Amino acid sequence: MKKILNAPADYVDEMLDGLVAAHPEFYRLHGDSHRVIARATTGRTGKVGIVTGGGSGHLPVFTGYVGPGLLDACAIGDVFASPSAEQMADAIRAADMGAGVLRLYGNYGGDVMNFDMAGDLVEFDDIRCTTVQLADDVASAPPGEREKRRGVAGMVYAFKIAGAAAEAGLDLDGVTRVAQKAADACRSVGAALSPCTVPQAGRPTFEIGEDEMEMGMGIHGEPGVWRDKLRPADAIAEEMMDRLLADIPVGRGDRVSVLVNSLGATPPEELYILYRVVKARLEEAGASIVMPLVGRYATSMEMAGVSFTLIKLDEELEGFLRAPCDCAFWRVG
Amino acid sequence: MKKILNAPADYVDEMLDGLVAAHPEFYRLHGDSHRVIARATTGRTGKVGIVTGGGSGHLPVFTGYVGPGLLDACAIGDVFASPSAEQMADAIRAADMGAGVLRLYGNYGGDVMNFDMAGDLVEFDDIRCTTVQLADDVASAPPGEREKRRGVAGMVYAFKIAGAAAEAGLDLDGVTRVAQKAADACRSVGAALSPCTVPQAGRPTFEIGEDEMEMGMGIHGEPGVWRDKLRPADAIAEEMMDRLLADIPVGRGDRVSVLVNSLGATPPEELYILYRVVKARLEEAGASIVMPLVGRYATSMEMAGVSFTLIKLDEELEGFLRAPCDCAFWRVG
């Protein structure tokens, strides 16, 4: 797939310059690294800060979700690469409003290591930090090894719900508890149809036949559970729902939200075709769907494919999910 | 490019079923054709109705923009094919709230012919209709033959501005005048990097080399002004801005809005890289940018490429552009 870029080494810096130039009401560059985005208007003093970080190439994840009712700051690495511990520490400082900072991010080795180090770096700043990691990708490890799972689009729900909890005035322990509950209530699965190209590598992340798909593939091209001929939309959706519902049973009276997400190139038309099956399966199980999300919420640049994320809600999670939020990519309320 | 679908013949019907299932607060199917979408909640009696129509495969255009402060109804054809005159007539009826209906759509032969016939069909219903056609694609005909130009992403501005004028209570002549002023103030240009696949054809709309791009290509793959090696992002943006500003000069004190639009697969990261140049060029000319739009507002399914749309605003147009609107794809205010 062809990319529109200048020098590959400038991809992320130029992208962030453009993001801030287009949406100065939401985003600003913080500090000197050119890799930390903070809210244009800092949250109120005494609000718990929420910070995330991760590689570029997933817009709106991660940077896009900085905004009122969502995140306070984000450290951005190169495409599919972790930001440094120093950048993450800067993001924690940008997010601090005196009530401590929740580090809320996906379970990837580099991010975990660097966010841990970043926590050590800000100890001298007297900023108390907690951590919640997303590990929602059911295809990446069996239920008995949930802590090994990768974090994918479930992050979107966790950002939204934790952001609303912080905005509502919960303290650091409260926001952390709610974020952990949201993370625990999320399950995701993805299916890829095509690779994407990391600018600095200049070649596709993997090879796949013109008539093939891969079930369970990760957002950086991590191997999935099977590769086979491309199946019809309804068969893909049925299998993805089978995998989610086997991992987190949903029954009569349950309230859930669901995200039908394009990995990038797959158009909304095809997401809506899939959504028919998602809705039928959840209603068949007796569940009520709250605020379904259909679109590009967590991507891998121009990768073709989809992911489904299911979150089982209790009253508290549903309230925070429905609360207002605002950023250049998502607005609720 | 691979597509996620069931039977190709069911693509549009299933897409519309999913759209309405996901967003019942915005959309409903009207009438028996299964190809007319109307607002879930009809506008107030005495409001001018605005109707559009065109082929599928361009979400959010056309159907997505049905909603408060935008359109009242839309007739949807097969992928890249006009809806029938009967379907358009049904959409006009769905949009009628007793104050007449503006037909607001892009300049394509089939759409023009069928919307004309649809106007004849609703004469018996005593619905007064006016027409404004978008012809904003500067690459499709020289300035002396503007009436031959195709309508592309300028439609997004026209829907927004006309929708706000109708919501503000202007009568049919007033809404039509404002819509025509918006259409006249828009210029667009596109550049394609890859084709897309029409489901029922099952093959890409055109062939293009792995290292090539085409400047000025239309959203259905209509020939552009040159095809050559893929250029760097800044060079592409400079040429696209040259072409727009040659057609609609912008100078000191002017107020403009600009849409940097992905045709589908091209990710937001690359749109933001392009936006740096767009902003620099407009500010260099002395213009102020109002409410820039960066994202996927008018697409061709999974086509890679971008379009820029520039609209020169006066006070009236700017007011309507900034007015509230709401639909599943765009929210202002």
Side-chain angles (χ1 to χ4, degrees):
Chain A
M1 181 61 78
K2 290 171 239 182
K3 303 187 79 67
I4 301 177
L5 43 66
N6 296 301
D10 297 333
Y11 190 86
V12 174
D13 288 337
E14 291 182 350
M15 178 270 283
L16 293 175
D17 284 341
L19 180 80
V20 170
H23 312 294
E25 72 280 24
F26 290 117
Y27 312 112
R28 66 179 166 86
L29 281 161
H30 168 89
D32 301 325
S33 69
H34 209 272
R35 293 299 177 91
V36 176
I37 293 280
R39 281 201 208 176
T41 311
T42 312
R44 68 182 153 63
T45 308
K47 186 186 89 70
V48 168
I50 305 180
V51 70
T52 197
S56 291
H58 301 298
L59 277 179
V61 163
F62 301 87
T63 327
Y65 294 115
V66 169
L70 293 163
L71 307 169
D72 296 284
C74 175
I76 306 106
D78 279 328
V79 173
F80 296 179
S82 288
S84 70
E86 288 72 18
Q87 290 160 353
M88 285 171 167
D90 258 0
I92 293 171
R93 289 182 196 109
D96 176 45
M97 285 153 286
V101 174
L102 166 64
R103 293 168 290 195
L104 181 57
Y105 60 97
N107 182 29
Y108 292 94
D111 293 333
V112 174
M113 190 178 72
N114 290 345
F115 256 130
D116 279 351
M117 285 174 55
D120 297 341
L121 291 171
V122 300
E123 267 184 22
F124 306 101
D125 302 79
D126 207 25
I127 302 172
R128 196 183 147 216
C129 288
T130 56
T131 299
V132 171
Q133 287 166 11
L134 269 289
D136 51 313
D137 186 348
V138 301
S140 55
E145 301 177 293
R146 274 191 56 205
E147 73 289 350
K148 293 191 183 166
R149 288 179 173 174
R150 300 181 293 254
V152 287
M155 243 172 288
V156 176
Y157 282 114
F159 293 165
K160 174 72 192 72
I161 287 167
E167 218 72 64
L170 272 65
D171 66 9
L172 182 59
D173 290 334
V175 173
T176 306
R177 175 187 59 76
V178 168
Q180 187 66 59
K181 184 162 68 166
D184 290 340
C186 276
R187 297 292 187 283
S188 298
V189 65
L193 277 64
S194 85
C196 58
T197 297
V198 175
Q200 291 195 257
R203 54 173 199 288
T205 42
F206 58 89
E207 301 282 330
I208 187 165
E210 248 318 298
D211 56 350
E212 286 183 326
M213 63 176 286
E214 185 157 328
M215 177 62 66
M217 178 170 273
I219 56 174
H220 311 102
E222 297 92 339
V225 291
W226 57 255
R227 180 180 289 204
D228 201 354
K229 299 286 177 221
L230 180 58
R231 301 191 181 164
D234 287 2
I236 295 171
E238 293 281 2
E239 175 169 346
M240 290 171 70
M241 289 307 294
D242 286 345
R243 290 180 177 274
L244 293 178
L245 295 173
D247 211 274
I248 189 165
V250 164
R252 192 146 310 275
D254 284 339
R255 295 178 70 80
V256 301
S257 186
V258 64
L259 163 58
V260 176
N261 176 57
S262 168
L263 297 179
T266 294
E269 282 82 355
E270 293 163 34
L271 302 180
Y272 286 115
I273 291 174
L274 294 165
Y275 183 74
R276 296 157 37 260
V277 174
V278 172
K279 181 169 188 271
R281 286 294 298 272
L282 291 170
E283 292 184 347
E284 204 177 284
S288 300
I289 305 173
V290 172
M291 224 177 90
L293 306 174
V294 181
R296 290 164 171 117
Y297 287 81
T299 66
S300 294
M301 294 187 292
E302 71 282 4
M303 191 185 282
V306 295
S307 69
F308 292 174
T309 299
L310 184 63
I311 181 169
K312 224 164 145 172
L313 301 165
D314 64 9
E315 203 176 320
E316 184 180 46
L317 294 178
E318 181 172 342
F320 289 135
L321 177 61
R322 290 179 182 275
C325 75
D326 206 1
C327 69
F329 300 87
W330 195 21
R331 191 163 179 189
V332 177
Chain B
M1 179 61 76
K2 289 173 240 181
K3 304 187 79 67
I4 301 176
L5 43 66
N6 296 301
D10 296 332
Y11 190 85
V12 174
D13 289 336
E14 292 183 348
M15 177 271 283
L16 292 176
D17 284 340
L19 180 80
V20 170
H23 312 294
E25 71 279 25
F26 290 117
Y27 312 113
R28 67 179 165 87
L29 282 161
H30 168 91
D32 302 323
S33 69
H34 209 271
R35 293 299 177 91
V36 176
I37 293 281
R39 281 201 209 176
T41 311
T42 312
R44 72 184 149 62
T45 308
K47 187 185 91 67
V48 168
I50 305 180
V51 70
T52 196
S56 291
H58 302 297
L59 278 180
V61 164
F62 302 86
T63 326
Y65 294 115
V66 169
L70 293 162
L71 306 169
D72 295 285
C74 176
I76 305 107
D78 278 329
V79 172
F80 296 180
S82 290
S84 69
E86 287 72 18
Q87 289 160 353
M88 286 171 166
D90 257 359
I92 293 170
R93 288 180 197 111
D96 176 45
M97 286 152 285
V101 173
L102 166 63
R103 292 169 290 196
L104 181 57
Y105 60 97
N107 182 29
Y108 292 93
D111 294 332
V112 174
M113 191 179 72
N114 289 345
F115 256 130
D116 279 350
M117 283 173 55
D120 296 342
L121 291 172
V122 299
E123 265 184 25
F124 306 101
D125 303 79
D126 207 26
I127 302 172
R128 197 184 145 216
C129 288
T130 58
T131 298
V132 172
Q133 286 167 10
L134 269 289
D136 52 312
D137 185 349
V138 301
S140 55
E145 300 177 293
R146 273 191 56 205
E147 74 289 351
K148 291 191 186 167
R149 289 179 172 173
R150 300 181 292 255
V152 287
M155 242 172 288
V156 175
Y157 282 114
F159 292 165
K160 174 72 190 73
I161 288 167
E167 218 71 63
L170 272 65
D171 67 9
L172 182 60
D173 290 335
V175 172
T176 305
R177 176 188 59 76
V178 168
Q180 188 66 58
K181 185 161 68 165
D184 289 342
C186 276
R187 297 292 187 283
S188 299
V189 65
L193 276 65
S194 84
C196 58
T197 297
V198 175
Q200 292 195 259
R203 53 172 200 287
T205 43
F206 57 89
E207 300 283 329
I208 187 165
E210 247 320 298
D211 57 349
E212 286 183 326
M213 63 177 286
E214 185 156 328
M215 177 63 66
M217 178 170 273
I219 55 175
H220 312 101
E222 297 92 338
V225 292
W226 59 254
R227 179 180 288 205
D228 201 354
K229 298 284 176 222
L230 180 59
R231 299 192 182 164
D234 287 2
I236 295 171
E238 292 282 1
E239 175 170 345
M240 289 172 71
M241 288 307 294
D242 286 345
R243 290 181 178 273
L244 292 179
L245 295 172
D247 211 274
I248 188 165
V250 164
R252 192 147 309 279
D254 283 340
R255 297 178 69 80
V256 301
S257 186
V258 64
L259 163 57
V260 176
N261 176 58
S262 168
L263 298 180
T266 294
E269 283 82 356
E270 293 163 34
L271 303 180
Y272 287 116
I273 291 175
L274 294 165
Y275 183 74
R276 296 158 38 259
V277 174
V278 172
K279 180 168 187 271
R281 286 294 298 273
L282 290 170
E283 291 184 346
E284 204 176 284
S288 301
I289 306 173
V290 172
M291 223 177 89
L293 306 174
V294 181
R296 291 164 170 117
Y297 287 81
T299 66
S300 294
M301 293 185 293
E302 71 282 4
M303 191 184 282
V306 295
S307 70
F308 293 175
T309 298
L310 184 63
I311 181 168
K312 225 165 145 172
L313 301 165
D314 63 9
E315 204 176 319
E316 183 180 47
L317 294 178
E318 182 172 340
F320 289 135
L321 178 60
R322 289 179 182 276
C325 75
D326 206 359
C327 69
F329 299 87
W330 194 21
R331 189 161 179 191
V332 176

